[in-house]
Structure formats: C-alpha cells, structure tokens
Amino acid sequence: MGADDVRAVELAVSHQGELNSLRTWLGLAAIEDMEVRRVPGAPVLGEQGASDVLSVVAGSTGLVAAIKVLPQYLRAKRSDVSVTVSVRGKTLTVDARNVEEVMPILERLLDD
C-alpha cells in the first residue's frame, strides 16, 4: 500500500462498553494492511471530556471493507447501539434501523 493510498476513519460507539467489541469484529474481518487503534476522542465544544474512538487506517479498499462490517455488527447488538463514522470531516451515525440508507453514503464518501 503506497503512502498516498492510506486513509483513515474514526468510529465511535454509542455505548462506550461496546468499543472493544467493535474492535474485535474489525479484527475478525482480517482486512489486509488495516490498523485499528483505540484513541482518545476529541471533546465537543462545551464538554469536559470525550469517549475513546477507534481510528481505522487502511487503503481505500480496506476502509470500504471495514465499513461493510458495520451492518453485521449492528444486527448482532442491542437495538439501541449505533456507530458514528467520521470520514474527512463528515460525520454519519449508523444503527440497525438506518443501515440500508446510510451505508451507500459512507461507501461514496470513502470512494471520493
């Protein structure tokens, strides 16, 4: 993977206790040249702290493959779990109810 091909997304889970579970799901996907790290999240204006997030670094193909893991992950979880994906300054939240609508948008963002 060339340096120009490397991209990153951040994934935040609505229930902080599910973050390691999502990390495990991504690891089980065995996506080539993908690196997943737990990093401190950035606090929102007016908040004192922030929850950790997963930083996913891979080539564009690897990131699309990682995002495609989300529907299966969400369907296996409680109905109120959601994942917020940050891609190049844009943020989308996906859950079991809107996954069919949001996934094509996420994939287009990663293809750009």
Side-chain angles (χ1 to χ4, degrees):
M1 174 171 47
D4 293 335
D5 190 38
V6 175
R7 297 183 183 185
V9 298
E10 282 189 351
L11 305 175
V13 182
S14 59
H15 299 285
Q16 189 66 32
E18 296 287 346
L19 197 62
N20 283 333
S21 173
L22 178 55
R23 186 176 187 174
T24 299
W25 274 78
L26 290 168
L28 292 173
I31 299 165
E32 188 174 322
D33 293 329
M34 179 180 70
E35 182 179 336
V36 180
R37 284 184 271 153
R38 185 176 183 148
V39 297
V44 177
L45 187 62
E47 290 184 0
Q48 291 184 345
S51 299
D52 289 352
V53 297
L54 295 179
S55 173
V56 182
V57 179
S60 58
T61 304
L63 287 180
V64 170
I67 293 300
K68 287 186 176 186
V69 169
L70 294 179
Q72 297 92 351
Y73 169 79
L74 290 167
R75 289 182 186 117
K77 297 296 168 182
R78 302 185 318 223
S79 61
D80 63 340
V81 173
S82 64
V83 177
T84 300
V85 183
S86 298
V87 181
R88 288 189 232 136
K90 294 182 175 55
T91 303
L92 293 167
T93 299
V94 60
D95 60 33
R97 295 176 304 274
N98 71 2
V99 69
E100 300 302 325
E101 298 160 14
V102 175
M103 291 304 295
I105 298 167
L106 285 172
E107 290 176 31
R108 276 195 305 270
L109 284 172
L110 291 171
D111 283 341
D112 289 344

